[in-house]
Amino acid sequence: MGEQIVTARFAMNSPTFPVHSENYRVRVQSIVPIARGTLTVEFVSANGSKLPAFSAGAHIDLHLPNGIKRSYSLCNAPTERGRYLIAVKKADPSRGASAYIHEQLAVGQVISISAPKNNFGLERNADLSVFIAGGIGVTPIWSMIQDREASQRPWRLYYAARTRGDAAFLSEIRMLADGRPDLLDIRFDHEPGVPILDVSAIVADHVGAGVHFYCCGPGPMLYAFEAATSGLIPTHAHLERFNAEPAPACAEARNEFDIVLARSSTRLHVADGKTVLETLLDAGIDIAYSCMSGVCGSCRVDVLEGIPDHRDMVLTNDERASNGAIMVCCSRSRTPRLVLDL
Ligand code: FES
């Protein structure tokens, strides 16, 4: 599995919380190995002030000293205001972020992070929250479980890891569910004789009017989740991706097109092979981005005119149909010109 993009990563049909643009200076308080190739990094404010509140499922963007920006889910309890905790699995190969965090980031080091953002929010009033996690995908879900427990709302966890040694937060989860074994189905599916989680059966077993389903994990698990929840009320199925291949271009997609930045009346040409994001950065336009693969939502820009060729995994079907926004890291244009609210 690649570096974690939160989070968001793609969140299907989840409540969206406000996106803040401020950055914060934080100090690395601790770095702790928690599973094979995975460690937690704890951040506290560098100047002693309180960190912004977050909701379960949120992520932060790390601005690493090597120039790479990457998103990671927060995995501590949302009630905690004094620290942020992330879990980082070293990707193989790493695109630079997880390798830096594993090999160079040090306790005491100060870095910049974004305020928390959430594309994978919890439905707070659900009668039952059913969580399905694979591998390091458990990180946002562990925060969600802590929220459900603190709110005294029912939950179930289905968690698959290759082996016990690969399972992050295993002891913490088991401790939280102590005496309630019916809450957990944890599988180590690379161990002999262990069947993989049957996502379709999990959904079928729990489906009901007040039940919300959440899934974060590797691609095959997410595809199974999408198939299993396709007949549900769309707002009851919540999904978050890590890295993703951008969706294929539509038939009307243009290889080249212009973008107009409405606030300055600047016109830029997006050449074949260049993304809108690259074109903006080349022109010196300061714009937020993180995953560069259409899953985190950081680079969202409002569209004032024109029809995007949406290739991201963030926008809902309604948002795509309205053509009011574009993820500039991966999406392109169906029309000769896009006017952007920049
Ligand atoms: S969606 Fe992540 S940078 Fe564009």
Side-chain angles (χ1 to χ4, degrees):
M1 182 179 295
E3 287 159 1
Q4 188 177 352
I5 303 288
V6 179
T7 201
R9 44 180 235 69
F10 167 47
M12 178 174 74
N13 301 316
S14 295
T16 300
F17 294 82
V19 173
H20 308 278
S21 57
E22 306 97 308
N23 284 336
Y24 296 85
R25 300 287 285 170
V26 291
R27 181 166 45 80
V28 179
Q29 181 79 352
S30 67
I31 299 176
V32 178
I34 58 163
R36 185 175 296 116
T38 302
L39 44 75
T40 55
V41 182
E42 179 186 23
F43 297 106
V44 296
S45 168
N47 63 11
S49 61
K50 271 189 176 174
L51 295 169
F54 68 96
S55 51
H59 67 278
I60 53 173
D61 298 333
L62 270 54
H63 300 256
L64 296 169
N66 63 357
I68 292 177
K69 185 167 77 167
R70 202 67 86 229
S71 304
Y72 291 94
S73 296
L74 294 173
C75 45
N76 53 318
T79 49
E80 295 182 353
R81 293 294 310 275
R83 67 175 192 147
Y84 293 147
L85 190 71
I86 62 170
V88 181
K89 183 178 174 70
K90 189 174 181 186
D92 183 19
S94 170
R95 292 191 294 161
S98 68
Y100 180 89
I101 292 167
H102 274 252
E103 296 165 8
Q104 297 185 56
L105 192 69
V107 171
Q109 194 170 341
V110 173
I111 67 167
S112 288
I113 63 168
S114 72
K117 311 165 195 176
N118 200 331
N119 297 322
F120 190 43
L122 269 173
E123 174 50 53
R124 302 201 58 77
N125 297 319
D127 294 335
L128 173 64
S129 300
V130 177
F131 301 113
I132 303 171
I136 194 64
V138 76
T139 54
I141 284 175
W142 172 225
S143 181
M144 291 172 155
I145 289 172
Q146 294 171 84
D147 178 292
R148 297 293 75 188
E149 192 72 5
S151 304
Q152 299 185 314
R153 307 293 297 199
W155 57 273
R156 300 283 185 281
L157 172 66
Y158 297 85
Y159 176 19
R162 291 182 176 186
T163 67
R164 280 160 224 273
D166 291 298
F169 303 115
L170 184 59
S171 57
E172 291 91 337
I173 291 168
R174 284 181 163 158
M175 195 179 305
L176 193 72
D178 190 32
R180 297 173 292 169
D182 54 310
L183 298 187
L184 304 180
D185 182 343
I186 300 178
R187 308 278 182 98
F188 308 114
D189 51 25
H190 278 41
E191 294 183 354
V194 178
I196 64 170
L197 284 178
D198 184 340
V199 174
S200 175
I202 294 167
V203 173
D205 282 350
H206 292 292
V207 71
V211 181
H212 282 246
F213 296 89
Y214 301 81
C215 185
C216 187
M221 175 180 276
L222 298 176
Y223 295 134
F225 181 80
E226 288 180 299
T229 58
S230 61
L232 303 185
I233 301 169
T235 52
H236 286 212
H238 312 261
L239 177 155
E240 180 164 84
R241 294 187 192 280
F242 299 129
N243 294 337
E245 289 300 316
C250 70
E252 302 85 32
R254 291 176 173 270
N255 293 331
E256 301 189 38
F257 53 97
D258 287 348
I259 52 174
V260 176
L261 314 187
R263 297 181 205 174
S264 60
S265 300
T266 303
R267 180 183 284 263
L268 300 171
H269 182 67
V270 181
D272 192 7
K274 278 237 169 191
T275 66
V276 176
L277 176 61
E278 289 168 341
T279 305
L280 290 167
L281 294 174
D282 286 351
I285 309 297
D286 187 21
I287 182 167
Y289 66 94
S290 179
C291 70
M292 300 183 75
S293 57
V295 296
C296 75
S298 296
C299 68
R300 177 179 178 138
V301 172
D302 286 344
V303 175
L304 304 176
E305 284 180 44
I307 302 174
D309 171 30
H310 296 292
R311 301 188 193 177
D312 65 275
M313 310 290 277
V314 177
L315 296 175
T316 64
N317 288 339
D318 285 349
E319 288 174 320
R320 285 164 191 271
S322 72
N323 292 315
I326 181 174
M327 298 299 155
V328 295
C329 67
C330 60
S331 296
R332 300 184 67 81
S333 184
R334 300 182 184 205
T335 46
R337 191 181 77 137
L338 288 178
V339 181
L340 304 179
D341 187 16
L342 285 173

PDB file of all heavy atoms in Angstrom, residues 222-236:
ATOM      1  N   LEU A 222     -11.841  -1.818  -1.160  1.00  0.00           N
ATOM      2  CA  LEU A 222     -12.692  -0.669  -1.490  1.00  0.00           C
ATOM      3  C   LEU A 222     -13.635  -0.994  -2.646  1.00  0.00           C
ATOM      4  O   LEU A 222     -14.807  -0.595  -2.638  1.00  0.00           O
ATOM      5  CB  LEU A 222     -11.826   0.546  -1.836  1.00  0.00           C
ATOM      6  CG  LEU A 222     -10.925   1.037  -0.703  1.00  0.00           C
ATOM      7  CD1 LEU A 222     -10.043   2.176  -1.187  1.00  0.00           C
ATOM      8  CD2 LEU A 222     -11.754   1.496   0.485  1.00  0.00           C
ATOM      9  N   TYR A 223     -13.130  -1.718  -3.640  1.00  0.00           N
ATOM     10  CA  TYR A 223     -14.013  -2.108  -4.750  1.00  0.00           C
ATOM     11  C   TYR A 223     -15.130  -3.007  -4.239  1.00  0.00           C
ATOM     12  O   TYR A 223     -16.299  -2.877  -4.643  1.00  0.00           O
ATOM     13  CB  TYR A 223     -13.215  -2.829  -5.831  1.00  0.00           C
ATOM     14  CG  TYR A 223     -12.181  -1.968  -6.506  1.00  0.00           C
ATOM     15  CD1 TYR A 223     -10.890  -2.424  -6.716  1.00  0.00           C
ATOM     16  CD2 TYR A 223     -12.496  -0.671  -6.936  1.00  0.00           C
ATOM     17  CE1 TYR A 223      -9.922  -1.621  -7.307  1.00  0.00           C
ATOM     18  CE2 TYR A 223     -11.541   0.134  -7.536  1.00  0.00           C
ATOM     19  CZ  TYR A 223     -10.258  -0.349  -7.711  1.00  0.00           C
ATOM     20  OH  TYR A 223      -9.311   0.454  -8.292  1.00  0.00           O
ATOM     21  N   ALA A 224     -14.801  -3.934  -3.345  1.00  0.00           N
ATOM     22  CA  ALA A 224     -15.829  -4.812  -2.778  1.00  0.00           C
ATOM     23  C   ALA A 224     -16.839  -4.003  -1.980  1.00  0.00           C
ATOM     24  O   ALA A 224     -18.052  -4.283  -2.017  1.00  0.00           O
ATOM     25  CB  ALA A 224     -15.169  -5.869  -1.884  1.00  0.00           C
ATOM     26  N   PHE A 225     -16.351  -2.991  -1.277  1.00  0.00           N
ATOM     27  CA  PHE A 225     -17.244  -2.140  -0.484  1.00  0.00           C
ATOM     28  C   PHE A 225     -18.191  -1.358  -1.388  1.00  0.00           C
ATOM     29  O   PHE A 225     -19.397  -1.275  -1.120  1.00  0.00           O
ATOM     30  CB  PHE A 225     -16.408  -1.187   0.370  1.00  0.00           C
ATOM     31  CG  PHE A 225     -17.213  -0.276   1.256  1.00  0.00           C
ATOM     32  CD1 PHE A 225     -17.721  -0.735   2.465  1.00  0.00           C
ATOM     33  CD2 PHE A 225     -17.454   1.039   0.888  1.00  0.00           C
ATOM     34  CE1 PHE A 225     -18.461   0.108   3.285  1.00  0.00           C
ATOM     35  CE2 PHE A 225     -18.188   1.883   1.701  1.00  0.00           C
ATOM     36  CZ  PHE A 225     -18.688   1.423   2.909  1.00  0.00           C
ATOM     37  N   GLU A 226     -17.634  -0.798  -2.470  1.00  0.00           N
ATOM     38  CA  GLU A 226     -18.496  -0.042  -3.399  1.00  0.00           C
ATOM     39  C   GLU A 226     -19.584  -0.935  -3.977  1.00  0.00           C
ATOM     40  O   GLU A 226     -20.738  -0.541  -4.102  1.00  0.00           O
ATOM     41  CB  GLU A 226     -17.646   0.568  -4.511  1.00  0.00           C
ATOM     42  CG  GLU A 226     -16.794   1.731  -4.052  1.00  0.00           C
ATOM     43  CD  GLU A 226     -15.963   2.304  -5.187  1.00  0.00           C
ATOM     44  OE1 GLU A 226     -15.133   1.567  -5.752  1.00  0.00           O
ATOM     45  OE2 GLU A 226     -16.156   3.478  -5.497  1.00  0.00           O
ATOM     46  N   ALA A 227     -19.199  -2.157  -4.334  1.00  0.00           N
ATOM     47  CA  ALA A 227     -20.190  -3.079  -4.899  1.00  0.00           C
ATOM     48  C   ALA A 227     -21.228  -3.459  -3.853  1.00  0.00           C
ATOM     49  O   ALA A 227     -22.435  -3.487  -4.128  1.00  0.00           O
ATOM     50  CB  ALA A 227     -19.486  -4.339  -5.428  1.00  0.00           C
ATOM     51  N   ALA A 228     -20.773  -3.715  -2.642  1.00  0.00           N
ATOM     52  CA  ALA A 228     -21.686  -4.189  -1.594  1.00  0.00           C
ATOM     53  C   ALA A 228     -22.657  -3.106  -1.149  1.00  0.00           C
ATOM     54  O   ALA A 228     -23.769  -3.407  -0.711  1.00  0.00           O
ATOM     55  CB  ALA A 228     -20.876  -4.685  -0.398  1.00  0.00           C
ATOM     56  N   THR A 229     -22.238  -1.845  -1.241  1.00  0.00           N
ATOM     57  CA  THR A 229     -23.088  -0.756  -0.755  1.00  0.00           C
ATOM     58  C   THR A 229     -23.816  -0.028  -1.882  1.00  0.00           C
ATOM     59  O   THR A 229     -24.485   0.973  -1.630  1.00  0.00           O
ATOM     60  CB  THR A 229     -22.251   0.267   0.048  1.00  0.00           C
ATOM     61  OG1 THR A 229     -21.199   0.769  -0.798  1.00  0.00           O
ATOM     62  CG2 THR A 229     -21.654  -0.365   1.289  1.00  0.00           C
ATOM     63  N   SER A 230     -23.704  -0.538  -3.106  1.00  0.00           N
ATOM     64  CA  SER A 230     -24.280   0.199  -4.242  1.00  0.00           C
ATOM     65  C   SER A 230     -25.795   0.324  -4.153  1.00  0.00           C
ATOM     66  O   SER A 230     -26.370   1.255  -4.708  1.00  0.00           O
ATOM     67  CB  SER A 230     -23.882  -0.479  -5.560  1.00  0.00           C
ATOM     68  OG  SER A 230     -24.379  -1.801  -5.585  1.00  0.00           O
ATOM     69  N   GLY A 231     -26.446  -0.578  -3.430  1.00  0.00           N
ATOM     70  CA  GLY A 231     -27.901  -0.495  -3.319  1.00  0.00           C
ATOM     71  C   GLY A 231     -28.381   0.263  -2.096  1.00  0.00           C
ATOM     72  O   GLY A 231     -29.595   0.390  -1.879  1.00  0.00           O
ATOM     73  N   LEU A 232     -27.458   0.782  -1.296  1.00  0.00           N
ATOM     74  CA  LEU A 232     -27.852   1.493  -0.074  1.00  0.00           C
ATOM     75  C   LEU A 232     -28.156   2.951  -0.377  1.00  0.00           C
ATOM     76  O   LEU A 232     -27.811   3.472  -1.442  1.00  0.00           O
ATOM     77  CB  LEU A 232     -26.723   1.438   0.959  1.00  0.00           C
ATOM     78  CG  LEU A 232     -26.222   0.066   1.399  1.00  0.00           C
ATOM     79  CD1 LEU A 232     -25.192   0.234   2.509  1.00  0.00           C
ATOM     80  CD2 LEU A 232     -27.373  -0.812   1.853  1.00  0.00           C
ATOM     81  N   ILE A 233     -28.770   3.617   0.591  1.00  0.00           N
ATOM     82  CA  ILE A 233     -28.883   5.076   0.498  1.00  0.00           C
ATOM     83  C   ILE A 233     -27.459   5.615   0.391  1.00  0.00           C
ATOM     84  O   ILE A 233     -26.613   5.302   1.247  1.00  0.00           O
ATOM     85  CB  ILE A 233     -29.574   5.643   1.749  1.00  0.00           C
ATOM     86  CG1 ILE A 233     -30.964   5.038   1.909  1.00  0.00           C
ATOM     87  CG2 ILE A 233     -29.611   7.166   1.711  1.00  0.00           C
ATOM     88  CD1 ILE A 233     -31.597   5.335   3.248  1.00  0.00           C
ATOM     89  N   PRO A 234     -27.155   6.387  -0.652  1.00  0.00           N
ATOM     90  CA  PRO A 234     -25.750   6.768  -0.872  1.00  0.00           C
ATOM     91  C   PRO A 234     -25.090   7.436   0.328  1.00  0.00           C
ATOM     92  O   PRO A 234     -23.897   7.239   0.562  1.00  0.00           O
ATOM     93  CB  PRO A 234     -25.828   7.726  -2.070  1.00  0.00           C
ATOM     94  CG  PRO A 234     -27.071   7.314  -2.782  1.00  0.00           C
ATOM     95  CD  PRO A 234     -28.039   6.873  -1.728  1.00  0.00           C
ATOM     96  N   THR A 235     -25.837   8.193   1.086  1.00  0.00           N
ATOM     97  CA  THR A 235     -25.226   8.913   2.213  1.00  0.00           C
ATOM     98  C   THR A 235     -24.892   8.001   3.383  1.00  0.00           C
ATOM     99  O   THR A 235     -24.342   8.461   4.387  1.00  0.00           O
ATOM    100  CB  THR A 235     -26.160  10.027   2.702  1.00  0.00           C
ATOM    101  OG1 THR A 235     -27.456   9.455   2.937  1.00  0.00           O
ATOM    102  CG2 THR A 235     -26.257  11.142   1.679  1.00  0.00           C
ATOM    103  N   HIS A 236     -25.218   6.723   3.270  1.00  0.00           N
ATOM    104  CA  HIS A 236     -24.920   5.797   4.358  1.00  0.00           C
ATOM    105  C   HIS A 236     -23.647   4.987   4.116  1.00  0.00           C
ATOM    106  O   HIS A 236     -23.305   4.136   4.925  1.00  0.00           O
ATOM    107  CB  HIS A 236     -26.095   4.838   4.586  1.00  0.00           C
ATOM    108  CG  HIS A 236     -27.250   5.512   5.261  1.00  0.00           C
ATOM    109  ND1 HIS A 236     -28.097   4.862   6.127  1.00  0.00           N
ATOM    110  CD2 HIS A 236     -27.684   6.799   5.211  1.00  0.00           C
ATOM    111  CE1 HIS A 236     -29.015   5.710   6.571  1.00  0.00           C
ATOM    112  NE2 HIS A 236     -28.783   6.888   6.026  1.00  0.00           N
TER     113      HIS A 236
END
